Amino acid sequence: MRLHRLEITAFGPFGTTQTVDFDTLSTAGLFLLHGPTGAGKTSVLDAVCFALYGSVPGARQGPGTTLRSDHAPADTLTEVLLDLTVGGRRLEIRRSPAQPRPKKRGGGFTTEKAQSTLREYDPATRAWTGLSKSHQEIGEEITQLLGMSRDQFCQVVLLPQGDFARFLRADAEARGKLLGRLFDTRRFAAVEERLAELRRAAAHRVEEGDARLLALAHRMAQAAAGLPAARTPVEG
């Protein structure tokens, strides 16, 4: 996954629209997101997570919390736009949470429903094509392309959120499943399973051979002792 551009409007501490040009930041390779406490570092990462999955990590979107900035004008709606390339596809995700807005007629406020849109860029036509406006469809598409659920993304990618420690403390089975999806180890699992099948088949043939040898040894011992041979069916 490669991020190109992030636009944050009335989100977290950002009362107006702020744009992060990741392409420019990435020209020198790695870049550092830093600033004093309360500058909005976590909110930038939250905005990326919100664009991808429609929610932010952990308790920051629990009961009684809101994604909307307290500094935003009443008529400015909270919205996040993320331009990224994932799975070889250039996508644009736009999301806005459910939020109050001034009524168009009369006084007071009304609730604006949460909205999501997904578009894809076609290099041949140099145009964006709308793919979906369904929260569920977009969520399923992004989860499939990234190969991670929101919780897995927060544990492994959003390291500053502290969830990586929880990943490290997870049991071996949970870590194995997640790392297997991250690094697409299916082909290695298939080879492992095939080798296990060959091992089981070889072990079964050895057991059958041992049984035949034991039966032959028993008959030979009976013949040497002058006893009538037992009628033991022996293959070969």
Side-chain angles (χ1 to χ4, degrees):
M1 179 181 72
R2 178 180 177 181
L3 306 182
H4 299 291
R5 180 172 54 94
L6 176 68
E7 288 186 5
I8 309 171
T9 303
F11 183 93
F14 306 108
T16 58
T17 299
Q18 304 294 323
T19 301
V20 181
D21 188 342
F22 289 105
D23 284 338
T24 300
L25 290 174
S26 301
T27 53
L30 295 175
F31 61 89
L32 174 66
L33 182 65
H34 70 97
T37 301
K41 302 183 295 298
T42 298
S43 293
V44 170
L45 300 177
D46 282 351
V48 172
C49 186
F50 177 72
L52 293 173
Y53 295 101
S55 60
V56 298
R60 290 194 292 281
Q61 192 166 309
T65 62
T66 178
L67 300 177
R68 180 169 174 78
S69 174
D70 294 332
H71 310 291
D75 57 351
T76 299
L77 292 180
T78 298
E79 183 178 81
V80 172
L81 181 146
L82 180 63
D83 177 4
L84 76 159
T85 295
V86 57
R89 299 166 60 187
R90 182 77 176 262
L91 301 174
E92 180 192 83
I93 312 169
R94 186 187 300 268
R95 292 189 190 268
S96 59
Q99 57 193 298
R101 65 164 176 80
K103 291 182 178 180
K104 296 180 179 179
R105 296 181 181 180
F109 290 81
T110 186
T111 299
E112 184 81 8
K113 293 183 179 179
Q115 298 184 26
S116 301
T117 60
L118 177 65
R119 300 196 303 169
E120 182 171 4
Y121 181 75
D122 185 354
T125 61
R126 297 184 180 182
W128 291 92
T129 302
L131 298 180
S132 178
K133 293 185 178 181
S134 165
H135 300 301
Q136 181 177 352
E137 288 180 358
I138 296 173
E140 292 174 351
E141 182 75 10
I142 296 301
T143 299
Q144 181 177 2
L145 288 172
L146 290 178
M148 288 182 285
S149 66
R150 191 210 68 168
D151 290 342
Q152 292 170 335
F153 179 83
C154 293
Q155 287 178 14
V156 177
V157 179
L158 297 187
L159 306 186
Q161 309 309 309
D163 287 328
F164 190 59
R166 182 158 56 92
F167 164 71
L168 293 177
R169 291 193 298 267
D171 59 64
E173 182 179 358
R175 289 200 306 270
K177 288 182 179 179
L178 176 55
L179 293 174
R181 295 187 64 183
L182 285 175
F183 298 105
D184 192 14
T185 60
R186 288 173 297 179
R187 60 187 182 278
F188 301 111
V191 171
E192 182 181 14
E193 178 59 28
R194 178 55 180 164
L195 291 174
E197 290 177 359
L198 293 175
R199 179 187 60 78
R200 289 192 293 268
H204 181 66
R205 290 195 298 270
V206 169
E207 290 176 357
E208 289 183 337
D210 287 344
R212 289 196 298 269
L213 288 174
L214 287 173
L216 286 172
H218 183 64
R219 292 179 63 182
M220 291 173 63
Q222 287 180 325
L227 298 175
R231 295 181 176 276
T232 302
V234 179
E235 296 182 5

